[in-house]
Amino acid sequence: MKIIFTLLILATLELSAGIKNLTLVEALDLLDRSNLEIEVARYEEMMKKLDIAVVNAKNYGTLDISVSALRSNDAGNVFGFKVQSREASFADFGFADFMGALGQGVQQSAMMNGGVPNFATFSQGLAQNGAKILAIEPKALNYPKARNHYITKATFKIPLFTGGMLTNYKKITTKLYEMSKLDTAKVRSLKRFELKKTFYNIGLVNNYISNLYNIKKNIRKLKKIIKEMQKEGYAIETDYLEVDAKLAEVEAMLDQARLNKKLAYQFLSFLLNREVDSVRAPRKAPHQPTVTKEIVEERSLDVAKAKLGLEITKDAVAVEKSKFLPKVGAFAEYGYADNKLVPESIAKKDFYTVGVQATWNLFNGGADKASLEKAKLNRLKVAAQVKLAKKGMWLKAQKLQSEIRSLSARVRSFAKQYKFAHKVFLTYREKYREGITTITDLLIKQSKEIEMLLKLLKVKNERNEKILALQKLING
């Protein structure tokens, strides 16, 4: 039982442990699979792809099925219900009242002719009382009983010709999908830049911490030297206290460096959506890519987006032109109606309608013409933006290249100054041991060494950032 419990604890610790010894190549691969911002961009990309299907579906028309349930005692409605259900009869028109009036006329002609109906007498009576007969208000027609009415029908509509509007809308949505893929690529490029920058920052912080440990080690050696010199009377208590204060200063710098390293790991864990415990930070500076005007125009995502935007404006102009052409559509409808939801014989109650409709707007106050001109102007504007994007990206690349050259020269300069400052410190330490110089002068030289170290690492960080920015500019 104890063994099982121990294994469970070890398994839990293994699951909760972070990634160890992560390389930059592994981190970049993990970034593509785990970064939440890239995942969100991909979902947006998938949604844009579905927009293509939505537009394409309009070419296939629509099929709707509807069921209506009605009840009314309105004379017009009830009569209409019976006609639509194919149940209308002469009785529904009030012919019962009309036939009653005619019957009375026949009886009167018979009474006047010895019990035998007489057509001449009937015709004369009909001529004299025709207005009264026509004025009869049939009760069956004007006051019908309330009736239920159920209509079930299927309606299919399809566009036959839209002047190219649907075709161009599909082109636009397809290009917007391509645009969303470029947006995803931009997010990915930005996250790769941040990831690389974090890795190189960790490398510089590790270097800084290592150098601070060496400086701390040297200060501790100096403390031992002072102790030995105090025994021989060559050093005083304030020398020891001054060195001890310097040691505390270096300890504080180490604490700050460790905190910066911890923050870098936290940001790295955020980017990868995984806990990272340790990495193998690059020892060398990032590779500076070869960049030409042609490479920038070919690989820059901003330029690619601008070019795609120009293609979209071309399709938008075509959409506006389609408004000047006629629109043709067809429809077909089939259904049945009865006073029951499902009639006993659908074939006796069904109906159909088919048709074609063409519409052509000839005048709307010039709104379509204004929209077309606006679309053309927008295309010219975007064309100018494409040129601006090309020139702007190339100018940015040139600026980054110049800054990298300048920073590389400063790195070489500060590296030499740091090396010199370290040798000066070692020289002054020997001089102090021999009593030639004071502890204050020695610590000043050490402060200079730390200052050069900070400047060197700062300018290295700036150079790395510019190189990575240049890689990002060409989507490297």
Side-chain angles (χ1 to χ4, degrees):
M1 188 65 183
K2 289 182 179 179
I3 294 173
I4 296 173
F5 184 69
T6 304
L7 290 173
L8 286 172
I9 292 175
L10 290 174
T12 304
L13 290 172
E14 185 68 26
L15 289 171
S16 62
I19 303 172
K20 300 182 185 300
N21 298 319
L22 183 67
T23 65
L24 180 55
V25 174
E26 292 170 342
L28 289 170
D29 180 61
L30 186 59
L31 181 80
D32 287 336
R33 292 183 282 111
S34 302
N35 183 264
L36 293 176
E37 291 180 71
I38 294 176
E39 184 179 348
V40 169
R42 284 181 179 144
Y43 281 127
E44 187 68 30
E45 184 181 315
M46 292 165 64
M47 289 165 63
K48 292 294 182 184
K49 188 175 183 180
L50 291 173
D51 286 341
I52 301 174
V54 171
V55 173
N56 194 47
K58 295 185 182 298
N59 289 296
Y60 302 104
T62 59
L63 176 62
D64 298 315
I65 295 178
S66 65
V67 178
S68 302
L70 307 171
R71 181 175 177 79
S72 178
N73 68 347
D74 179 272
N77 287 341
V78 172
F79 186 74
F81 292 166
K82 289 186 176 183
V83 170
Q84 192 174 31
S85 301
R86 306 185 189 279
E87 294 178 8
S89 65
F90 283 111
D92 296 316
F93 288 90
F95 269 69
D97 296 328
F98 181 72
M99 293 301 292
L102 291 180
Q104 290 179 5
V106 172
Q107 288 179 358
Q108 287 177 0
S109 67
M111 290 172 63
M112 295 173 67
N113 195 31
V116 179
N118 183 280
F119 182 73
T121 305
F122 171 73
S123 298
Q124 184 180 2
L126 186 63
Q128 293 173 351
N129 298 298
K132 291 182 179 180
I133 294 173
L134 292 175
I136 294 173
E137 296 180 355
K139 185 177 180 181
L141 182 62
N142 290 328
Y143 300 97
K145 293 181 180 179
R147 177 184 171 90
N148 295 329
H149 190 60
Y150 299 93
I151 308 171
T152 302
K153 60 184 178 181
T155 305
F156 178 67
K157 298 178 182 178
I158 187 170
L160 300 178
F161 178 72
T162 61
M165 182 176 289
L166 287 179
T167 301
N168 287 295
Y169 269 134
K170 183 179 178 181
K171 289 180 181 178
I172 290 172
T173 51
T174 301
K175 289 183 175 81
L176 286 174
Y177 168 59
E178 296 298 322
M179 185 83 79
S180 71
K181 291 201 285 188
L182 290 176
D183 288 332
T184 301
K186 283 198 73 173
V187 172
R188 178 178 177 271
S189 180
L190 175 61
K191 296 302 117 181
R192 286 172 64 88
F193 166 77
E194 291 176 349
L195 181 71
K196 291 177 185 178
K197 186 171 178 292
T198 304
F199 257 80
Y200 282 102
N201 283 349
I202 290 173
L204 291 176
V205 170
N206 286 341
N207 188 10
Y208 180 50
I209 290 173
S210 176
N211 280 282
L212 285 178
Y213 271 119
N214 289 332
I215 290 170
K216 182 180 175 181
K217 185 178 178 182
N218 288 332
I219 293 175
R220 283 179 172 173
K221 285 182 181 179
L222 185 58
K223 285 179 70 176
K224 289 181 180 180
I225 292 172
I226 293 173
K227 277 289 184 184
E228 292 173 0
M229 292 177 68
Q230 275 184 323
K231 292 177 182 178
E232 297 176 7
Y234 292 110
I236 58 177
E237 184 65 22
T238 54
D239 289 352
Y240 184 84
L241 294 174
E242 196 169 348
V243 171
D244 199 47
K246 191 66 178 180
L247 182 62
E249 181 184 345
V250 173
E251 286 282 6
M253 295 172 74
L254 268 171
D255 288 340
Q256 183 63 47
R258 292 190 198 101
L259 178 60
N260 290 340
K261 184 177 178 180
K262 183 179 179 181
L263 290 172
Y265 271 101
Q266 288 174 345
F267 184 63
L268 189 61
S269 299
F270 168 75
L271 285 175
L272 298 177
N273 197 28
R274 302 281 181 85
E275 195 64 34
V276 179
D277 287 341
S278 62
V279 301
R280 293 183 202 170
R283 295 179 179 272
K284 297 180 181 180
H287 170 69
Q288 181 178 346
T290 301
V291 177
T292 63
K293 191 174 183 180
E294 290 73 22
I295 290 174
V296 170
E297 291 184 7
E298 181 183 348
R299 299 182 60 182
S300 169
L301 293 174
D302 288 313
V303 173
K305 282 191 69 176
K307 288 180 179 178
L308 194 55
L310 181 59
E311 292 179 24
I312 290 173
T313 60
K314 179 181 177 181
D315 297 325
V317 170
V319 168
E320 295 302 324
K321 286 182 177 179
S322 69
K323 294 179 181 179
F324 294 89
L325 298 174
K327 308 293 184 291
V328 181
F331 72 93
E333 186 176 86
Y334 173 80
Y336 54 85
D338 194 24
N339 60 346
K340 299 177 182 178
L341 182 60
V342 181
E344 294 177 1
S345 174
I346 293 177
K348 293 181 179 180
K349 305 287 184 176
D350 67 344
F351 56 85
Y352 74 87
T353 307
V354 294
V356 176
Q357 183 183 44
T359 61
W360 194 351
N361 178 257
L362 299 178
F363 179 73
N364 67 348
D368 288 342
K369 185 178 180 182
S371 296
L372 176 59
E373 292 303 317
K374 183 179 177 181
K376 288 179 178 179
L377 289 173
N378 187 54
R379 187 182 178 191
L380 293 174
K381 182 191 80 172
V382 175
Q385 288 176 332
V386 171
K387 294 179 182 177
L388 182 62
K390 289 179 180 179
K391 291 184 178 180
M393 288 300 104
W394 174 233
L395 180 63
K396 188 175 181 179
Q398 288 178 306
K399 182 183 177 185
L400 285 170
Q401 287 176 315
S402 297
E403 289 174 337
I404 291 168
R405 284 194 294 269
S406 174
L407 289 168
S408 296
R410 290 175 65 190
V411 166
R412 291 190 294 270
S413 173
F414 283 128
K416 290 179 180 178
Q417 291 183 57
Y418 171 65
K419 187 177 180 181
F420 173 72
H422 180 64
K423 287 185 176 181
V424 168
F425 165 74
L426 295 177
T427 302
Y428 267 73
R429 189 176 67 181
E430 291 303 316
K431 285 182 178 182
Y432 176 76
R433 181 179 291 178
E434 295 170 6
I436 300 174
T437 189
T438 64
I439 192 66
T440 302
D441 290 337
L442 175 60
L443 294 178
I444 288 173
K445 298 305 177 183
Q446 190 175 59
S447 296
K448 186 67 176 178
E449 179 189 4
I450 296 173
E451 179 188 347
M452 287 298 106
L453 174 62
L454 286 171
K455 286 184 177 180
L456 174 61
L457 295 179
K458 182 181 178 183
V459 77
K460 277 186 176 181
N461 184 55
E462 290 176 1
R463 182 192 60 184
N464 290 349
E465 187 173 346
K466 297 299 179 183
I467 292 174
L468 295 174
L470 188 60
Q471 290 180 1
K472 175 175 169 286
L473 189 139
I474 58 169
N475 195 29

